[in-house]
Amino acid sequence: MSQASTIRGQEILNNPARNKETAFTMTERQSLGLEGLLPPTVENIDRQLERVQTQLAAKPNDLERYIYLMSLAARNETLFYHTLMSDPARFVPIVYDPTVADACLTFGHIYRGSAGMYLTRDMKGRFKKILRNWPVKDVRFICVSTGGRILGLGDIGANGMGIPIGKLQLYTACAGVPPEALLPVLLDIGTTNAALRADPLYLGLRELPPDEAEVDLISEAFIEAATDVFPGVCIHFEDWKGTDAMRLLARYRDKVLCYNDDIQGTAAIAVAGLTTALQIKNETFADQRVLFLGAGSAGIGIASMIVSAMVEAGLGEAEARERIVLIDVNGLIETSRTDLNEWQKPFAHEAKPTKDLLEVVRTFKPTILIGVSTIGGAFTEEVVREMAKLNERPVIFPLSNPTNKAECTAEQAYTWTKGKALYAAGVQFPDFEYQGKSYHPGQANNFYIFPAIGLAVYATRPARITDDMFITAAAATADQVGPSAREHGMLFPLQANILETEVTTATRVAEHIFDSGQATVERPENIRAWIEGLLYKPVYKEL
């Protein structure tokens, strides 16, 4: 008999994967030693959901709702996911972006209990032993962060643990990946954030991060340990410092099953939105000129995937790169710069040095403007009006988050372009009415992509994750935006149907994995039905 089947009484109530709270039947209460430990009324999960909704409605803000939902996850996992999946458009912004940004900033102050694992740099020689402390042995995904570049917040060290926790919760809530297969990890290498190191309630190492060589040694030890303790596990890199992120992805992508959502997922969702926008404009990627404000891991990742889309549309790779211009904190990425990293150099062009975004818009004449700068308001009225002057339907994607980091709001973009902009942001802005027409701004959020990639990988067990899988996911996402939605400026599917959307995308990705010979399981006759049979469902099981 398994240990899980022998636990009784309070042990069951303390086990979030088995706890049903007031939904235990009278028979279960008698057989499991729960009599007297619960109120006498037996409720179903929908009645419990009513209570959750009532308590959430009484909270003063979304951060308090986040705290409540994390506490619910820690005591009753099934009810937590039943809540999220009952109304994803409402709850995803609470458990993830934008509320998770506030949660991460105050993580040590709102800490209620452990979720996931914390590995510190001094544990490097013992990673395998420590990872074996995790109670689940068949872990299929590890989302790991150093907290080195969280959203637009910068280096927040161990406070960044909210991101791996939230990302993996979306694997389940948005794509039905079973939660027992998921492990959030904070790889604590220290933080450059002096304020956090001085905060008495900060929970991480109060040390500066090591040099790049030591980071690489720590990362190598972690990956070796994780793939040994959990054979076949997929490593999801999340919110590492930009140069670390690009370097480690390049090093490991052809060696282990891994991906970096900030690079590949962000690129895929941007390409998905651009695909829809260009379909509305009846243009192709070969017709575009793309200007980026921001040239970190996200910007380079998106630019590289746009190059692939342009090549697919008929351009040569060099010609495609000529149609993409980037600006970073030090100015235009151009050939006289001596501070460019190896990923930026391929996008450096012969041009006059400048830091003036408006000047670059006027000289380069972009059709698409993308912001990944984390500089709130950087797309000024002058810049946006110039885009509208150059283009009948300017494509404007201020992708930085949280909300106060967005380069411009939806209201600004639609007003300054007189309703002509094809707009998507990294956060969800409210609907906006301009001259009698209602616009529904898009949210280019990675949760349309990475949970679907996760579900497809969970099902097909490929040895590696390739960019082709992300390009397939981008196309599948764009294909699910119908004509009526596009009329209202929507560039992404409705969040209310996120599970259906993700299953459709995952099916397309799984088909690609089978077609390309990358799957390590037998191909089923009906891939979608097979995937649907693997989905986690937030319902109570009989004990």
Side-chain angles (χ1 to χ4, degrees), residues 61-110:
N61 54 55
D62 278 348
L63 180 58
E64 289 297 323
R65 294 182 186 98
Y66 171 92
I67 293 169
Y68 173 85
L69 287 170
M70 292 305 106
S71 297
L72 176 61
R75 79 170 191 269
N76 186 336
E77 182 179 85
T78 307
L79 181 56
F80 170 75
Y81 282 113
H82 183 72
T83 301
L84 263 58
M85 297 169 84
S86 72
D87 190 354
R90 176 187 176 193
F91 291 115
V92 166
I94 295 176
V95 300
Y96 199 63
D97 196 26
T99 310
V100 75
D102 294 329
C104 286
L105 285 173
T106 58
F107 191 81
H109 293 248
I110 66 173

Side-chain angles (χ1 to χ4, degrees), residues 38 43 56 70 139 166 258 395 399 405 443 453 510:
L38 295 164
E43 299 179 309
L56 285 171
M70 292 305 106
V139 171
C258 70
V395 179
L399 301 183
K405 302 290 185 179
Q443 183 183 12
I453 292 285

